[in-house]
Amino acid sequence: MTHRRTLLAAAAGALVAATTRAQQPATLDAVMAALAARRQGRARFTETKEFPELSMPLPSSGTLSWSAPDRLEKHTTEPLEEILRVEGDRLVFARPAQNLRRELGLDDQPELRPLVESVRATLAGDLAVLRKHYEVRFAAQPDGGWRIELTPRSMRVYAALQSVAIGGRGDAVLSVVTRGNQGETRMTITPEP
Amino acid sequence: MSAAASAWRRLGVALLLLGLLAAGLFRVVPFRAELSDLLPPAETPAARYLLQELRGGAATTLLLAGIEGAPEPELARISRAVGDALRASEQFAFVGNGTQDLPPKERDLLFRYRYLLSAAAEDPSRFTAPALRQRLESLIDGLRSAASPVLAQFGFADPAGAFLDLLRSWLGESRVALRDGVWFAADAVAPRALVVARGRAPGTDLEAQAAMVAAFETAFAAADPGPARLMLRGPGVFSAAAAAAVEADVRMISILSGVLIAAFLLWRTRSLLMLAAVAVPLLVGMLAGTALVFAAFGAVHGAAFGFGMTMLGVGADYPMLLVGQRRPGEALGATARRLGGTLGLSALAAALGLTAMLFSGFPLLAQLGLFGAAGLLAGAAATRWLLPCLLPGEAIRARPLPPPMIRALRRLRGHHGTVLLLPLAAAALLVLGGPRWNDDINRLSPVPERLRQEDAELRRQLGAPDVGTLIALRGADAEAVLRRAEAVQRALDPLVAAGALAGFDSPARYLPSAATQRARQAALPGEEALRAALAEAAAGLPFRATAFDRFLAGIADSRTLPPLTIADLAPAPTLSARLGLLLSDRDGAWQGLVIPNGLRDLPALSGAVAALNDPDILFVNIKGETEGLVAAATGRALRWVAAGGAAVLLLLWLALRRRLGWAAGLAATALTALPIGGALLVTLAGLTALGQALNPFHLAALLLAAGVGLDYALFLGVPVAEDAAEGDRNFGAVFNCTATTLLTFGLLSFCATPVLQGIGLCVSIGVAAAFLLALALAPRGVVTARPPCNGSTGA
């Protein structure tokens, strides 16, 4: 008797949970969990950079690839080939046409790691790292999309970088908008299957 | 019994008086512990400069630290905590442990002065339309790239790229790995965080050095280090470590050898009185040595006192020789009169040999020579005149050696076969290629080898390569030194271009002279010209009209800035730290350093500097200079040792001639000198076989060994009465001396301090060989009561 009632209650509970997930907008924890569950990803991107000193934006495009836990590569193909790869604590920056290759530690400059982690920690679903560098605000959209707004905690970083806004849906990141006092960069991402 | 009781009373009073005297003396005499006293004197300006730098140069204010023994994140945390605490302590001019990031204030200062500090600004073509066009195109290109934040920050205000060029040339390539924002050794097996700190006080200020070390240790302890260890190296630590090492060695030796010698004497005499009797000449010798060194030098070096006391240990021979050779029923005073001549001659000869060290030029050796000579003479005098009064009657009776030993020694006495040792040693020396001379200044340092190696390892990990050559600059003020640095720079640039030199570090690289800064100001373009050039360069590129307003304002500002001087660098700690090692104020006289690296053509470099023909610009080849320094000092010591040896021989001959006449005196001198010369030969062969490279301290030890060997040769060579017991007493006494000397110096050869170890080995081998050879050449017939065979008695 008692046994059957427990079972019933559990079934009801499960039902309620399932309906909530379907109807309610996403939560930050759920988005992070979904992102963390995704171990690999490839996408195409287009990016435009705007600077107050320039009369027109500068466009570029290429591919992004992610592989958990910490490897992120941005391969720009147009208009000039450029590779930016982060793995562990090292960053590699290369422009093959100029035969330029530079390797840096993420801690070599104080602004570097926060900038990298805004994207990498998001892809890794690592909220703790995000919160270490940023105030994190989350907004769910009615259509199932979400938006994470990051504001640097360090005054020094804030002086150069005012905000990073990351938009996505489910376990996919679809846009990154970075606003600094030197200008604004908008990246639009199209995941590849 | 009454003789012993009276002896105890007299000895007690004498020792008490001597003790009081010693206590009084030690209150007056200041003791020094400066390592630089171990360095040889300089003969060339370059060597003088080098010694001065070794004593108190900028490099002596550096402390290097490794933190290891814990996981990496933990080490990083400790390193940060230690760094913060050290910076807060204000004892250090600079503390580096990680991210070499310009503080915002410093960045603003350097950015403002970019066109005065950067050599780029000197070139007017940088500001023409074609050159600017190129920069603007690459600016657009850079803005597209991932590096755009940096370019946007500096590119519009400095399209000429002066600031970024400046930073690039300063920071260069680093071999230090940065993890968690903290320096780690790149090639270490276990993680090791690295910290470097530069003190405000010069290296000669030993107290300040000790305070720096203490500050480091306190900061480390306060960082809650857990299992982590702090490894601290640098000249400040070395002074302390060296003093501690010498002290530990000297303490070990004095306690151990004291106990062993006391046990030996007790065994040989069964009398505590003998111990007290030996103490009298020792104390007298110590008092005389200390007082004389104090009078001559104004202070006594701790190491001279320590080494000197071990030398004076040899002075314990005199009472043993006296007491041991007393005939049954003879008063000690009568023995002293009988042996007085020989005793005096041997002490005088040993002292004469040691006096040679006075002229060696090493402050420490000079003190040591004086201390030893005075101590030995005073000890011998005390034995001759004081001891007989203190030991009336037959208070101490030396016991004969155990019969097997007597038999063995009797067999060795006059056994010329032992002399075969000499050709053997000579052959060994020949095979080994002769004695090796030390030319490494480090081997003269009492700093333990292990510490020096760890220091070298830390320096390598921190990316500070061994400096082989440097160019020293002098001037009345910083500006004069900076101008000389620029002159050197102009002379070396062609060498770098030709590949004779990979590059060089110069103070003017970080802070150009005011003259150069003014020249750069004068070379800056006028505003109208620059505007026109910019407009032409930007044609067709997507820049707004106002894009380069900050650049134009920056150039206008640069034109009227007062030149940046060393006094304005308070907000620039990174720049100050780089400059601090290369440009410093030494009591009102400014000194600078240009440090070449990747040198491939030494003559070209020294030639280029010589061609500047400026007495205030000095080329220093460090390895060559220090080797020359040591070689010159060794050569001088060698000459004085030879002179000392000749003087001793002369003294011997004069003394023996008076006793024996011309020809026999000469023969006796040769016979006395042969065991000593032979012993020196054997010692040289032994040291060379053991891989010891000879330095002036070895020479001093050889002198000591010779002096001691002389005792043996003289006493064993004394024609004794035709009495077997007398002969046994004779070599028994000498054997006792050899044994006690071996106990002291044998122990010394186990020391960790290289110099002490060398002295120990030298004296031990020398004394053992001298005893055996002197015994072999001693008159045989009188002992066995047989007629002398083939006249080898020398009498």
Side-chain angles (χ1 to χ4, degrees), chain B residues 17 157 237 319 342 348 552 581 589 677 764 787:
Chain B
L17 281 177
V237 184
T342 315
L348 206 61
L552 292 165
L581 284 174
S764 306

Side-chain angles (χ1 to χ4, degrees), chain B residues 51-117:
Chain B
L51 283 182
Q52 191 193 335
E53 284 302 295
L54 280 173
R55 290 194 174 118
T60 60
T61 62
L62 272 187
L63 272 184
L64 313 174
I67 304 175
E68 55 187 15
E72 210 171 275
E74 181 61 8
L75 293 179
R77 180 193 66 75
I78 297 169
S79 168
R80 270 193 295 268
V82 168
D84 292 346
L86 292 183
R87 281 181 204 105
S89 80
E90 307 221 319
Q91 257 177 294
F92 297 89
F94 168 75
V95 178
N97 65 334
T99 314
Q100 260 196 322
D101 163 46
L102 294 180
K105 257 191 198 163
E106 178 165 17
R107 191 185 54 202
D108 293 346
L109 180 78
L110 299 184
F111 193 73
R112 186 160 186 222
Y113 274 92
R114 61 195 179 280
Y115 295 115
L116 274 62
L117 296 180

Side-chain angles (χ1 to χ4, degrees), chain A residues 49 51-56 58-59 79-80 82 84 90 93 95 98 102 107-108 110-111 115 156 182, chain B residues 99 101-102 104 107 140-141 143-146 148-149 152-153 156 168 178 180-181 542-544 547 550:
Chain A
K49 293 185 174 187
F51 299 93
E53 289 90 349
L54 297 192
S55 52
M56 56 177 236
L58 301 174
L80 259 173
E82 178 182 289
L84 182 71
R90 306 298 292 173
F93 171 74
R95 302 191 90 181
Q98 286 155 284
R102 193 158 297 159
D107 296 303
D108 288 0
E111 292 90 353
L115 200 60
R156 174 146 189 190
Q182 321 290 354
Chain B
T99 314
D101 163 46
L102 294 180
R107 191 185 54 202
I140 292 277
D141 184 36
L143 288 174
R144 286 183 207 278
S145 86
S148 63
Q153 189 180 0
F156 295 107
R168 243 193 303 280
L178 203 61
D180 249 346
F543 292 107
R544 291 184 201 279
R550 282 189 288 158

